[in-house]
Amino acid sequence: MTPRFLSRKWMMMLTAIFCILTFHACQQGTPSHSKARPNILFIMSDDHAYQAISAYSDRLIQTPNIDRIAADGMLFTNACVTNSICAPSRATILTGKHTHIHGKIDNRLPFDTTQVTFPQIFQAAGYETAMFGKLHFGNNPKGVDDFMILPGQGNYLNPKFITPEGDTTILGYMTDVITDLTINWLDQKREGEKPFMMMYLHKAPHRPWWPDPQHFKEFSQKTFPEPATLFDDYENRGTAAKTAEMNLLRHMQYQHDSKIYPETIEEMGGAEPVMEKPMRNGFYGPFGRATDEQRALYTPTLDSINDWFKANWPNLSDEEKIKWKYQRYMQDYLGCIASVDENVGRVLDYLEESGLAENTIVVYTSDQGFYLGEHGWFDKRFIYDESFKTPLIVKWPGMIEAGSRNTEMVQNLDFAPTLLEAAGIDIPEDMQGESLMPLLTSTGAWDRDGVYYHYYEYPAVHQVKRHYGVVTEDYKLVHFYYDVDEWELYDRKSDPQELRNVYHDPAYQEIVQQMQEKLKALRIQYQDSEELDQHFIELTGKSKRSS
C-alpha cells in the first residue's frame, strides 16, 4: 500500500462525505412535501379586531381582499394572544416565547436583545428577508436583509421611516406607502433565486384612526349597528372591569379621537360642556403633518363633523353622547380598515400576476384584538374575548384546504414555529409555541386544551389591572392581582359575552378546581411564577421612576 494509493482512497472517501453533507445541507430547510421551499408573506395589522373582518362577521364592514385569503385557506376562530398589547405581542410573535421570557412585558421595558427571532433563523437558512411597516420597538430589526420601519407608533400622514441608510420621510398615506414599499421590494429589490420571508406590517387601524381622505369622507356618512353590551354596567364582574379607563364617553378624547378642532372646544367654553380642555397636539399632532393639498381634502369632512358637534352636543343626553362617540369611532376605525383591505388586495394581486402565489404562504393576523364598543369600551389589554382573540387566516395553495375553519385554541406564540416547520427549518427547542402545521394540513394530532395569558402594564394608561389566566374552548379563569386579589370564571359557551362571573357559583366549583389546576400546570410549563410576578412589579416601578 503506497502513500499515493492512500491519498487517492482518502480523497474518494472525503469526496463522498462532502457530497452527502452538501446534499443534506441543501435539503435542510426543504419541506418533504415540496421541491421548492415556500415563500412567506406575513401580513399583520395593528389592533385589527376580528369583528371587523367580514370573513368572521359582516356586521360592520366588508373586507373582500382579506376574505380572499380565508376563501383560499384556513380561518382560525379561537386564535388569541399571550398579552394583549402592541410591543409585547410583536416580541412574542418574533421569538415564539411568552413575554416574561423575552422581557418585553409592556410597552416600556426593553426587549431582551439576546433573544433569537424567527427572521434570523430564516436568514441563516438561506431565505431572503425583509420588513416594511410597524415593528414598534428597536430601530434595527434582526435577521432582515432590508427594512423600512416606522419609529415607534408612526404617523398616518407622510410617515417617517427608519432604514439601513438612515431616516427618511415619504409623502403619502401610510397604508398606501407601506404597500408601495412592499411591492417594490418584491418586484425590484429581491434577488429572485432565493425564497423570501416578507413581513408586511401595517400601523392601521391603531389609534388615533386617521383614514385616507376618500374613506374619511365615505365612512363619516355611514351608520353602524351598536354592540349589545354598549351600555354595560359591569354587574357580576370584578373591580378591574369597573375601574378600567376605556369608556367611550369618559375616556375617548374629542380632539385626538373624534376629530373635534381645538378651536371648537375653545368656542364651546373649554372644559364645559365637553369636559376636556383644548389640547392642540391631540388634533394637530397627526393633522399637522398634512400638506396643504392633503388638508384641502380632509377639511370639508372635518368641518361637517365640527358643525354638527357645535349645533347638537350641548343638548345631548349621556346615552346620546355615547351613541355619537361610538359612530364617530367606527367611522374612522373602519375607514382605516377599508384602506388596509384594499392594499392587501394590491399585494395579493401582485403575487398572482407575478406567478409567486402558488408557492407563497400568506398569513393575515393582528397583534391583538380590540374593543369596538363592546362593554362600552375601546382599546384592548383584557383577557376578555374582544381583546384576547385575534384574527388569524392562512393560505398555502395545495397544502391547506380552501375555505376551511378551525376552532382549536392557538396563539401568536405559535406563529414562529409554524412558519419554520412549513419551510422545513428546525424549530429551536427553547421556543414555547407549537407548530400549527398539523392543523393547517390536517396531518397530525393536536392535544393542547388550554392557553396561558398574562397582562402586566399597570398602573398605566387605561388602568387595566395586572392579571393572568387560562382559557379553554369552554371556560376562562382569570386572576387579577397587584392591588386586588380577585378571581373570575366565565362559561364561554353559555355566556359568550362574558357578562356573568361564576367563580363563586356553587354549580361551577368543580370547574373552578379543574381550571385552577390547569392554570398552575401552565404556569410551571411556561416558567412563570409568583416570584416573577413580584420581580416585574419591582422592575416596572423602577422604570417609571427613571422615566
Side-chain angles (χ1 to χ4, degrees), residues 434-454:
E434 300 289 335
S435 170
L436 304 180
M437 285 295 289
L439 301 178
L440 291 169
T441 60
S442 302
T443 56
W446 181 263
D447 59 5
R448 179 191 285 163
D449 62 354
V451 296
Y452 181 62
Y453 181 91
H454 199 154

Side-chain angles (χ1 to χ4, degrees), residues 160-199:
K160 179 180 178 181
F161 287 90
I162 300 168
T163 82
E165 289 77 36
D167 295 354
T168 187
T169 297
I170 301 177
L171 292 180
Y173 183 66
M174 182 196 53
T175 307
D176 299 334
V177 171
I178 292 171
T179 304
D180 292 342
L181 295 171
T182 298
I183 293 175
N184 181 67
W185 186 87
L186 290 169
D187 190 57
Q188 300 292 328
K189 299 182 72 175
R190 69 183 182 90
E191 293 181 12
E193 296 179 359
K194 297 180 180 180
F196 66 81
M197 195 289 295
M198 159 66 77
M199 302 192 76

